[in-house]
Amino acid sequence: MRAMNPASETAPHLVFDRVLLRRRLARAAALGPEIFLLERAAEDMADRLLAVKRTFSTAVDLGTPTSALATALSGHPAVERLIRAAPLAGDLVPPAVVADEEALPFAAGSLDLVVSALALQSVNDLPGVLAQVRRALKPDGLFMGALLGGGSLTELRQAFAIAESETTGGLSPRVAPFADVRDLGALLQRAGFALPVTDVDRVVVRYSSPFTLFADLRRMGGANALNERRRVPLRRATLLRAAEVYAERFADPDGKVRATFEIVFLSGWAPHESQQKPLRPGTARMRLADALKVPEQPLPPGDEPG
């Protein structure tokens, strides 16, 4: 029986087979992981931290599949001490802890910074994880994460849907559902973060063939780990038809095919009395025209509100 996460009001729907997901990540590590997306996200997060004019004494890298983020933050002026926490021992070196992202082993108010790159899109209870991160942070502590967003692998999703409907007469989950950027912003607020910010980096990668993309996804640990996946091997006819549809619909004139990845960056602060707070409606002390230092222009006759 699965224990309910105390951060959630109800048990979350199990979208991902987390045991299988760990096996996929272990296989990717054995094959030699493909980390170009991880490196892109990690470098971006390191740059964003440079804009935060403060130092974080104790930081945790939560769930990032490789050492890419830890490497990007090594010697970073904003981070004094970084602890990696991930579900596989793999390349973890001290200071590190083997931990599941859905059950954080950190005491309330013990961390100054939590970062995570391309890991949290595969948890079953993202609201619960964000709430746990929020509790683990000290007041005015920062969470910064990068997740795959809703537009990721849309080409692959369409190709498999067409191929399966033609070859098997039905559909089964093949590509993970990823959250929309607006939903992620709402989840930050729901978890109790102050000053939440989200934005998207849309990356289009070109491959010589769909099979090259499939190989890269295996080396990213991104092969199908959905809990409701079909429990029989993928039919060869379906795979070949999916590759054919992909090449027909998403190829450039030079024959290379496109694959879209959306990296959603999100950040939020554990509340603290020193943080800026929005004014209540009607309490502003300055007119917008005065703030912008422009003359106020009256509305043309007939355009008055109401």
Side-chain angles (χ1 to χ4, degrees), residues 223-295:
N224 191 357
L226 292 169
N227 198 50
E228 295 181 358
R229 68 193 182 280
R230 186 169 289 175
R231 304 303 173 103
V232 295
L234 176 64
R235 292 173 56 178
R236 177 178 173 82
T238 302
L239 178 63
L240 293 176
R241 180 55 182 151
E244 185 179 20
V245 171
Y246 202 120
E248 289 171 355
R249 297 196 172 208
F250 304 111
D252 291 329
D254 61 1
K256 292 187 176 182
V257 298
R258 303 180 301 276
T260 300
F261 297 91
E262 277 187 1
I263 304 176
V264 180
F265 293 93
L266 58 161
S267 64
W269 296 82
H272 187 266
E273 60 184 10
S274 67
Q275 293 166 354
Q276 181 180 0
K277 295 180 175 59
L279 292 173
R280 296 191 306 276
T283 61
R285 298 182 180 180
M286 181 181 289
R287 299 181 310 157
L288 178 60
D290 294 337
L292 296 177
K293 298 181 180 180
V294 297

Side-chain angles (χ1 to χ4, degrees), residues 85-99:
L88 294 178
D91 59 350
L92 292 180
V93 295
V97 59
V98 176

Side-chain angles (χ1 to χ4, degrees), residues 72 102 121 139 163 193 244 270 291:
E102 296 187 325
Q121 71 274 351
F193 284 99
E244 185 179 20

